[in-house]
Amino acid sequence: MAQPKSYITSDELKKHTKPGDLWISIQGKVYDVSEWAKDHPGGDLPLLNLAGQDVTDAFVAYHPGTAWQYLDKFFNGYHLQDYTVSEVSQDYRKLLFQFTKMGLFEKKGHVIFMTMCAIAMLLAVSLYGVLCCDSTWVHLASGGLMGLLWIQSGWIGHDSGHYQIMMTRRFTRFAQVLSGNCLAGISIAWWKRNHNAHHIACNSLEFDPDLQHMPFFAVSSKFFNSLTSFYYERKLNFDSVTRFLVSYQHWSFYPVMCVARINLFAQSFMLLLTKKNVPNRVQEMLGILVFWTWYPLLVSCLPNWGERIMFVLLSFSVTGIQHVQFCLNHFSSSVYVGNPRGNDWFQKQTRGTLNITCSEWMDWFHGGLQFQVEHHLFPRLPRCHLRTVSPFVVELCKKHGLPYDSVSFWKANELTVKTLRNAALQARDLTSPIPKNLVWEAVNTQG
C-alpha cells in the first residue's frame, strides 16, 4: 500500500535558504541540496540564490533530460502543497520540450570548429608579425590581432560554460583551459562562477555581478543606497569617491572598457587565491601561469618600450569591444533589487535583456549575444540555433504581453550611454546627503 504524501507549504520551504540547509522544489517535489551545493557542477551560487522556492523553470533551462535521474537521491519526502504553474511557465516548458524533440540542443554545428581555426590563424599571424617583421605598423597590427584572438577565445569560454562543445567532457575541458586560461589569461572557473550567477539573477542589483561595477559604474540610482553584493559578499559603498567617478561615467565608459581586461585578470587571481571551492584549482593556476609566461615574453620581443606599450594597449582596446557587447545586453534594461525568484523566470529573463538586431552575416561579430533573450531562456542551446528559435520566442512574448526588445548595435550603445548619463546626473545632485570630498567640491563649484 502506497504511503500517503507529506506536504509542506511555500512559507515552510522558504525557511531553508542558508548554507547547510538548502531546500528547493522541482515540479512540486522538495529536494534537500545542502550537501550537493559544494559539488554542484554549476557552483553553489545558483542553489544559494534560488533556495527556498520552486525552481523548475531554472532547472529545465540549465539541465538536460538525463539530469532528472539524479534527483531522487536528494528527495526529502516532502511535496509542495501550494505548487502551481503559471501559464507563462507552461508555455515556456512546452517550447523547451519542442526544441529538445527537434534535437537542437544536440546539434552544435561547425561554429566551434570555425572559431578555433580563427584563433589558431590569429595567433600564428600575430606571432609572425612580432617575431619575423621589423615594421612598427606590423607590430601594432599584431597587437590588434591579439585582441581579436581574445574575443574569439571569449566566445569559446562562453559557449563551453553552458554546454559540451566537444565530443567528450575531457576534450571540452581541454578547450576551455587552452582558450581561456592559457591563451587569454582568464580563469574558466571564475568565468563559470560569475556567469552562472549572472544568468540566475539576471539584472538583480544585489545578486548579478555583471551590474556591480562600483566605484566606476552604476546603472541605477538604487546603487546610491550602498547595496550589498551577495556575489562579492560585501557592501558596495557609495562614498564620495564613487560619487565623483559615477558622475562622469557616461564619459569614462568607453575608455574604461579599453582596459576592462585588467579587471578580469584580477578577478581570476582573486578567486583562485581564495579559500572558496574551486574545481581543478591547480590546473586553473597552471593555465594562468602559461599565459603570464608567453604573453610577457612575446611583448619583450618588441624592439622598444614604446612599441611594447602600444602593443598591450591595442590588444586590450580591441578586446574592449567584447566588454562593451556584454554591457549592451543588460545595462539599459529593467533592473530590480532583491533575490531572484523561480516563479517568474521567463519574465525576469526577458525584461532584463536586450537583443541586438543584425544581419545573419554579422553573427560572427556578436558571438550569439545578439540573441541575448533567446540565450537567457535557453542557455544550453548552441548559438548556431539562436536565430532559428527567435520567432518562437517573439510569439511567446507577444502572447503573454512581455517585452522582446531588439535594437541596432548603434542604438544599443546610445541606450547604454543614456542609462549611464541619467544615473550620473542623479549622482551629481548635491542635495543628496552623500559625503563630499575636496575634489568633488572643487569640480562642482559654480561661478
Side-chain angles (χ1 to χ4, degrees), residues 30 45 84 95 104 132 154 184 198 233 254 257 313 321 333 336 349 373 382 399 405 444:
V30 180
L45 289 179
T84 59
L95 193 57
L104 297 183
C132 302
H198 159 66
E233 299 175 343
Y254 292 108
M257 289 298 104
L313 287 178
I321 296 171
S333 297
Y336 66 98
Q349 301 298 327
V373 175
K399 176 181 177 180
D405 298 322
N444 290 277

Side-chain angles (χ1 to χ4, degrees), residues 57-58 61-62 92 199 342-349 376:
D57 286 346
Y62 276 96
Y92 167 62
H199 267 267
N343 61 358
D344 60 355
W345 170 263
F346 191 96
Q347 298 93 315
K348 279 290 193 296
Q349 301 298 327
H376 266 257

Side-chain angles (χ1 to χ4, degrees), residues 57-247:
D57 286 346
F59 180 82
V60 298
Y62 276 96
H63 300 82
T66 54
W68 289 90
Q69 62 184 306
Y70 302 107
L71 286 177
D72 283 345
K73 64 181 180 181
F74 304 114
F75 180 52
N76 62 8
Y78 291 108
H79 292 77
L80 197 59
Q81 187 176 44
D82 45 356
Y83 172 69
T84 59
V85 184
S86 68
E87 187 179 350
V88 177
S89 289
Q90 289 178 9
D91 288 344
Y92 167 62
R93 296 174 196 178
K94 288 177 183 177
L95 193 57
L96 188 144
F97 180 68
Q98 180 180 343
F99 295 160
T100 302
K101 285 184 65 177
M102 293 167 63
L104 297 183
F105 292 100
E106 304 303 323
K107 301 173 183 176
K108 300 178 175 64
H110 304 293
V111 174
I112 299 300
F113 174 74
M114 294 171 63
T115 303
M116 288 186 168
C117 288
I119 289 175
M121 181 187 70
L122 289 167
L123 179 62
V125 175
S126 184
L127 291 176
Y128 180 84
V130 172
L131 301 176
C132 302
C133 297
D134 297 325
S135 170
T136 299
W137 292 109
V138 172
H139 293 164
L140 298 183
S142 298
L145 292 177
M146 186 62 66
L148 291 176
L149 182 156
W150 289 340
I151 289 178
Q152 296 307 312
S153 73
W155 301 141
I156 292 287
H158 178 263
D159 291 351
S160 65
H162 285 294
Y163 59 90
Q164 186 174 304
I165 62 172
M166 308 295 281
M167 296 297 292
T168 66
R169 289 182 180 275
R170 182 171 293 182
F171 281 125
T172 295
R173 176 63 184 169
F174 176 77
Q176 287 178 328
V177 175
L178 177 63
S179 63
N181 299 55
C182 297
L183 291 181
I186 307 300
S187 165
I188 193 65
W190 167 79
W191 168 251
K192 289 176 68 174
R193 179 179 175 82
N194 180 282
H195 199 58
N196 285 338
H198 159 66
H199 267 267
I200 290 296
C202 178
N203 274 33
S204 166
L205 299 181
E206 293 178 300
F207 288 83
D208 185 352
D210 281 10
L211 295 185
Q212 298 171 353
H213 301 296
M214 289 168 63
F216 296 102
F217 305 122
V219 298
S220 169
S221 60
K222 293 182 175 67
F223 275 123
F224 301 169
N225 296 320
S226 295
L227 299 176
T228 296
S229 166
F230 288 87
Y231 177 82
Y232 293 110
E233 299 175 343
R234 61 179 174 82
K235 196 172 185 179
L236 302 174
N237 290 313
F238 187 71
D239 53 24
S240 56
V241 174
T242 303
R243 182 175 188 171
F244 175 77
L245 294 173
V246 168
S247 295

Side-chain angles (χ1 to χ4, degrees), residues 269-298:
F269 277 113
M270 288 168 64
L271 176 63
L272 295 177
L273 295 176
T274 63
K275 296 181 179 180
K276 294 184 183 297
N277 181 34
V278 179
N280 305 301
R281 186 190 300 267
V282 174
Q283 189 181 84
E284 292 276 340
M285 296 184 75
L286 288 175
I288 296 293
L289 181 62
V290 169
F291 171 81
W292 286 108
T293 299
W294 75 261
Y295 184 67
L297 281 175
L298 179 65

Side-chain angles (χ1 to χ4, degrees), residues 322-435:
Q322 189 175 63
H323 296 296
V324 170
Q325 288 174 301
F326 286 133
C327 297
L328 299 184
N329 293 129
H330 297 286
F331 270 28
S332 63
S333 297
S334 174
V335 299
Y336 66 98
V337 175
N339 64 305
R341 296 192 300 271
N343 61 358
D344 60 355
W345 170 263
F346 191 96
Q347 298 93 315
K348 279 290 193 296
Q349 301 298 327
T350 54
R351 287 172 179 150
T353 306
L354 177 69
N355 275 12
I356 307 298
T357 305
C358 72
S359 301
E360 188 172 353
W361 67 273
M362 281 295 291
D363 285 352
W364 67 272
F365 175 74
H366 296 284
L369 298 187
Q370 72 275 33
F371 293 107
Q372 190 73 181
V373 175
E374 289 78 6
H375 171 60
H376 266 257
L377 293 174
F378 308 101
R380 292 188 297 109
L381 192 67
R383 59 174 139 136
C384 59
H385 300 308
L386 293 175
R387 188 175 289 275
T388 302
V389 305
S390 179
F392 296 94
V393 176
V394 171
E395 187 63 30
L396 190 54
C397 288
K398 186 183 299 183
K399 176 181 177 180
H400 295 286
L402 294 170
Y404 181 90
D405 298 322
S406 184
V407 299
S408 70
F409 179 74
W410 306 113
K411 182 64 176 179
N413 276 270
E414 180 185 330
L415 291 174
T416 297
V417 172
K418 182 179 179 181
T419 298
L420 294 173
R421 182 178 183 274
N422 288 340
L425 294 179
Q426 293 177 68
R428 293 184 188 186
D429 182 5
L430 297 180
T431 63
S432 182
I434 301 295

